Amino acid sequence: KLDAALPEFDDPNIDKDAAVQGILEDDSPYPEVRSAVANTDDPDIPVSTLRSWFLGICWAILIPARFPPNNSALHLTFFPQGLNQFFYFRYPSVIVTGIVAQLLVFPIGRAWAKFLPNWKILGVSLNPGPFSIKEHVLITIMATVGYQSAYATDIVAVQRVYYGQIYNFGYKWMLVMSTQLIGFSIGGVARRFLVHPPSMIWPTNLVTCALFNTLHAQTYAGIGTRGGISRERFFLYAFLASAVWYVFPAYLFSALSYFSWVCWIAPDNIPVNQMFGYVHGLGMSLVTFDWAQIAYIGSPLATPWWAEANIAVGFTFFFWILTPILHYTNTWNSMYLPISSRTSFDNTGAPYDVTKIINPDSTFNQEAYSAYSPLFLSTTFAISYGLSFASITATLTHAFLFFRKQIWTQARRAMKEQPDIHARLMSRYPQAITNQQVGLNVITELIIGYALPGRPVAMMLFKTWGYITMAQALQFTSDFKLGHYMKIPPRAMFLAQVIASVIAGTTQLGVQSWMFTNIPELCSTDQKDGFICPGTEVFGTASIIWGVIGPARQFSKGQSKLRHAHSERPALTFFFLIGFICPVIAYLVSRKYPNGIMRYVKRVVLLPSSFLTLIRCNFSFPVIFSGTGYIPPASAVNYVPWAIVGFIFQYVVRRRHFSWWTKYNYVLSAALDAGVAVSAVLIFFCLQYPKNGTIGLNSIQTWWGNTVYANTADAAGTPMKIVADGDFFGPRTWA
């Protein structure tokens, strides 16, 4: 029974001794799961109630929508505005995450249970009794479906801003609905691979589970008899501390967030600023005191250490070693550009003006392109595309070499691994039929870029349908794993997600349409209220690279008799080969040294056991290549402190203070996230949004602690080389 309950593959998350303990206790073999998820269920707890549906639909509207106060500068009225959609176009942005809904729904649900009468409406109880944890989960899932801007709204924005195309609401609605719902419509395979097996732990969901159980005072599901304060009190203290502290890096002393202290010492030294800066640099200053920066790519307290170590290795090699080598050797004429940037440039160093190379119907104009400029990218932007190429082939190769037997077995049988307690408890509920098709946006961009070059709108549509299928299917599956842990009936989960997606997408689209009609100069680089649309800028840049100019001119040789600007850039296509070769090498090494190569290294160099334990991790090249996918706009400020914090909690504390870790780790992560989210909203609406942002204009906003990081070459994005007036860099001719 013990052997059957353990995965047949080499799982870096498994500790066999701890797994045996969990199985003997009729619990999950993974201590992470045991620390956050209860191994009991009461099927009579209400879930799909009038209360849960009413609050869930309200939050599905509210998180994408709000009623802002009157503001003469923006000519706002009491028209329902999308909160996250509204601020998606603003920089800096305020995002109300699902954890805010998770916290605020709790007192509302408790108040509903206490004050509303127990009447019935069409036979449905208005007040079914105490507010249950399962109702709370269902409401939160409906809220989180729409907390992020619908991907297709960027297509609408780019069409309008970059290509001057404005269509009616019906076209926009059909576009958004098709992209939002396509991931749900694929049907049935993902659950047996990604939900039922105990080894599919979905670490981020464990933070959410810990918070649910903490709020509803579920019995401590951790390991051992750890003393100390309760998890509820610990959460309260950590939440308050996080919320209060965030006022400093977010408002009073923002240099604590962008703590590029080396740049402050030498603000005009360009190489120093490129290496140590946080805005346009590589972030070697290492330090930030802002949890929002640390958790920008995900909570380091939720990601396993072996995965964090792989990502740290990939970041160090590709962005701290390879990027400076390429940049300072002027590869791709990069010394005329910032070392890191999210936009594209022409051959004078100015932002690329796509309107100069397209026809009135938004198709590519060859003559205009030859007369204007080729397109240039910062070094980090180019490397990020190379890593995207490598991650595609590495994932396929790694999956085939290391997991082909497991995939084949799971494809033939509904579930190979022995079901754990959570799978057995869920088996009593009727199952929903779901499916998943995995697609990657880079692959879709490559395919459509070669198939239909010079057609940016077609590229954006094809890319979105290809990418969002994967994204929505994974979101759907992630929520089902959350429901699996919290014992939510799958049919109710599926219906809640679909309805919430339709409501949220419609709300977001309505908000965007209103904004373009009522906010002056929306998406312009100098919009006075900060609505410069940074996400739309990245999306628009991709449409130029892959859609207008096309990958053939960017990454292929032999496309023209003329030598174009990026004839060296085809070297990036070798990342496809690198992505294929690296897992093969790792596989051969693992076969040669099945017990780990480091034990053999120890015999030769006599390394201490503690050091070997530290560096001994399962190298996963798909994780190494894809882990830095947030760059740009993320930088080392989002990776290095993240890895350091992850090492402290996921390695040191977990190994040396395991009982503390299993009781408090995920609660701490939830508290830090929640404190930052709530504090960010309060700061914005109390201090930054009123009076057109003039509160503290000549005091707090201008003191040294809020300006020192902005008065540097890093903040200005100053390149190493400057183009002379009337001249340009790069090739003299291109096509």
Side-chain angles (χ1 to χ4, degrees):
K1 180 180 178 181
L2 296 178
D3 292 338
L6 299 177
E8 294 183 353
F9 60 96
D10 183 18
D11 186 354
N13 295 309
I14 199 72
D15 182 325
K16 291 188 177 181
D17 293 334
V20 169
Q21 178 184 351
I23 295 166
L24 292 175
E25 296 174 357
D26 199 18
D27 208 332
S28 170
Y30 294 87
E32 294 87 350
V33 177
R34 300 202 298 276
S35 69
V37 183
N39 63 339
T40 58
D41 177 41
D42 181 358
D44 295 326
I45 293 177
V47 184
S48 186
T49 64
L50 176 63
R51 176 170 57 201
S52 63
W53 277 97
F54 179 83
L55 293 178
I57 291 174
C58 287
W59 277 97
I61 297 173
L62 182 61
I63 283 193
R66 67 176 289 266
F67 294 85
N70 286 322
N71 187 319
S72 58
L74 296 179
H75 309 289
L76 298 179
T77 62
F78 281 94
F79 182 81
Q81 306 303 313
L83 183 57
N84 283 345
Q85 182 69 22
F86 187 78
F87 291 112
Y88 172 75
F89 292 106
R90 188 182 184 277
Y91 186 83
S93 179
V94 173
I95 299 297
V96 180
T97 62
I99 202 169
V100 176
Q102 186 180 4
L103 286 172
L104 297 183
V105 161
F106 182 64
I108 296 173
R110 296 285 290 270
W112 182 305
K114 183 175 182 179
F115 296 110
L116 264 67
N118 189 18
W119 296 344
K120 287 191 176 182
I121 301 176
L122 299 177
V124 179
S125 178
L126 179 65
N127 190 343
F131 184 54
S132 73
I133 189 172
K134 293 189 178 183
E135 289 180 289
H136 195 179
V137 173
L138 195 68
I139 296 168
T140 302
I141 287 172
M142 294 181 72
T144 56
V145 164
Y147 90 89
Q148 292 182 331
S149 176
Y151 199 69
T153 59
D154 267 327
I155 297 180
V156 176
V158 170
Q159 283 185 277
R160 182 167 188 151
V161 174
Y162 282 75
Y163 304 109
Q165 298 177 342
I166 303 175
Y167 294 101
N168 60 39
F169 190 84
Y171 158 79
K172 300 173 186 176
W173 190 86
M174 294 295 290
L175 176 62
V176 170
M177 288 302 106
S178 67
T179 58
Q180 288 298 95
L181 299 177
I182 193 171
F184 299 151
S185 63
I186 298 209
V189 175
R191 287 175 59 80
R192 72 170 119 170
F193 288 100
L194 302 179
V195 176
H196 288 151
S199 58
M200 302 294 106
I201 62 177
W202 293 79
T204 303
N205 279 340
L206 299 180
V207 178
T208 308
C209 292
L211 181 53
F212 277 125
N213 288 324
T214 299
L215 291 174
H216 290 267
Q218 295 290 303
T219 302
Y220 168 53
I223 299 167
T225 57
R226 172 75 192 184
I229 63 175
S230 67
R231 296 205 298 183
E232 295 80 15
R233 189 175 296 274
F234 181 87
F235 173 84
L236 176 64
Y237 292 160
F239 168 78
L240 293 176
S242 174
V244 172
W245 171 255
Y246 188 66
V247 176
F248 290 91
Y251 185 74
L252 297 177
F253 194 174
S254 55
L256 292 173
S257 179
Y258 294 92
F259 203 75
S260 51
W261 59 277
V262 179
C263 299
W264 309 347
I265 299 173
D268 299 320
N269 188 308
I270 296 174
V272 168
N273 278 257
Q274 288 184 336
M275 290 294 98
F276 294 91
Y278 284 160
V279 181
H280 291 97
L282 299 182
M284 292 185 181
S285 295
L286 301 181
V287 181
T288 180
F289 299 94
D290 184 353
W291 178 254
Q293 295 278 32
I294 295 172
Y296 181 81
I297 61 174
S299 173
L301 276 63
T303 306
W305 165 242
W306 72 268
E308 292 173 332
N310 276 272
I311 294 173
V313 168
F315 176 86
T316 301
F317 177 78
F318 289 107
F319 291 96
W320 276 6
I321 298 175
L322 181 59
T323 292
I325 292 174
L326 295 175
H327 187 78
Y328 292 116
T329 55
N330 204 30
T331 305
W332 307 316
N333 297 287
S334 55
M335 293 182 72
Y336 291 94
L337 309 173
I339 195 170
S340 181
S341 175
R342 65 172 180 257
T343 191
S344 56
F345 301 90
D346 62 22
N347 55 12
T348 67
Y352 201 87
D353 187 354
V354 68
T355 61
K356 293 184 178 180
I357 63 169
I358 58 175
N359 297 312
D361 62 352
S362 297
T363 57
F364 180 68
N365 187 315
Q366 176 66 62
E367 293 182 0
Y369 173 73
S370 299
Y372 174 44
S373 171
L375 181 141
F376 295 86
L377 298 174
S378 68
T379 308
T380 58
F381 209 147
I383 289 296
S384 70
Y385 275 127
L387 292 176
S388 296
F389 299 158
S391 67
I392 296 168
T393 51
T395 300
L396 296 174
T397 307
H398 183 89
F400 175 77
L401 293 176
F402 289 91
F403 298 105
R404 62 187 184 277
K405 294 181 180 179
Q406 183 206 13
I407 292 173
W408 175 246
T409 302
Q410 297 265 116
R412 291 184 300 166
R413 299 176 59 181
M415 193 174 0
K416 178 64 178 73
E417 292 180 44
Q418 184 77 15
D420 65 355
I421 180 63
H422 306 292
R424 297 198 300 274
L425 290 173
M426 282 297 290
S427 64
R428 71 183 69 191
Y429 298 109
Q431 302 297 304
I433 303 300
T434 62
N435 195 4
Q436 175 183 354
Q437 166 122 8
V438 175
L440 295 174
N441 57 338
V442 173
I443 277 290
T444 56
E445 288 172 333
L446 276 173
I447 292 173
I448 196 64
Y450 278 108
L452 293 175
R455 297 182 179 273
V457 177
M459 188 284 297
M460 290 189 292
L461 291 170
F462 187 84
K463 164 192 173 181
T464 301
W465 281 318
Y467 166 74
I468 212 64
T469 300
M470 172 199 70
Q472 291 295 82
L474 287 177
Q475 177 64 45
F476 183 42
T477 308
S478 174
D479 285 344
F480 257 90
K481 188 65 177 185
L482 176 61
H484 183 82
Y485 283 145
M486 303 304 298
K487 317 304 180 294
I488 307 299
R491 290 181 180 178
M493 289 273 295
F494 176 79
L495 190 61
Q497 276 204 304
V498 172
I499 292 177
S501 293
V502 173
I503 293 173
T506 304
T507 303
Q508 291 167 348
L509 190 57
V511 169
Q512 185 192 55
S513 299
W514 184 92
M515 292 178 70
F516 273 111
T517 303
N518 292 274
I519 297 181
E521 300 180 343
L522 181 66
C523 293
S524 63
T525 56
D526 55 353
Q527 209 282 333
K528 61 180 180 179
D529 297 295
F531 290 95
I532 62 174
C533 310
T536 302
E537 181 184 7
V538 174
F539 206 95
T541 299
S543 76
I544 300 171
I545 296 171
W546 302 98
V548 180
I549 299 175
R553 290 183 175 84
Q554 297 293 316
F555 305 109
S556 300
K557 288 187 176 181
Q559 299 299 317
S560 172
K561 294 181 180 179
L562 297 175
R563 178 180 175 84
H564 56 77
H566 299 300
S567 59
E568 299 94 341
R569 193 168 290 167
L572 288 177
T573 59
F574 282 103
F575 275 85
F576 282 112
L577 182 61
I578 294 172
F580 170 76
I581 293 175
C582 287
V584 174
I585 296 175
Y587 177 74
L588 295 176
V589 170
S590 68
R591 294 294 298 271
K592 177 71 173 178
Y593 306 103
N595 295 321
I597 191 173
M598 296 313 301
R599 62 180 296 199
Y600 299 97
V601 175
K602 180 181 179 181
R603 296 175 184 174
V604 178
V605 297
L606 299 178
L607 293 173
S609 298
S610 58
F611 182 74
L612 285 175
T613 304
L614 169 62
I615 65 176
R616 185 183 182 274
C617 65
N618 293 264
F619 279 96
S620 172
F621 284 101
V623 177
I624 290 174
F625 293 138
S626 63
T628 55
Y630 288 97
I631 299 176
S635 68
V637 69
N638 309 121
Y639 278 90
V640 177
W642 174 84
I644 293 173
V645 173
F647 170 71
I648 293 173
F649 282 92
Q650 298 292 76
Y651 180 79
V652 177
V653 175
R654 190 179 187 275
R655 286 179 58 85
R656 299 184 180 180
H657 306 282
F658 186 69
S659 61
W660 186 98
W661 180 91
T662 194
K663 184 174 183 179
Y664 296 124
N665 181 72
Y666 292 113
V667 177
L668 176 60
S669 179
L672 293 174
D673 290 343
V676 167
V678 172
S679 184
V681 174
L682 292 177
I683 290 170
F684 185 84
F685 287 111
C686 295
L687 299 172
Q688 295 176 329
Y689 189 70
K691 297 184 179 181
N692 299 329
T694 59
I695 296 177
L697 182 63
N698 298 315
S699 54
I700 290 294
Q701 294 187 32
T702 56
W703 85 285
W704 177 87
N706 281 331
T707 59
V708 60
Y709 68 91
N711 298 321
T712 61
D714 166 54
T718 307
M720 289 291 295
K721 295 184 177 181
I722 304 296
V723 181
D725 293 339
D727 196 7
F728 60 88
F729 62 85
R732 301 292 100 178
T733 56
W734 57 90

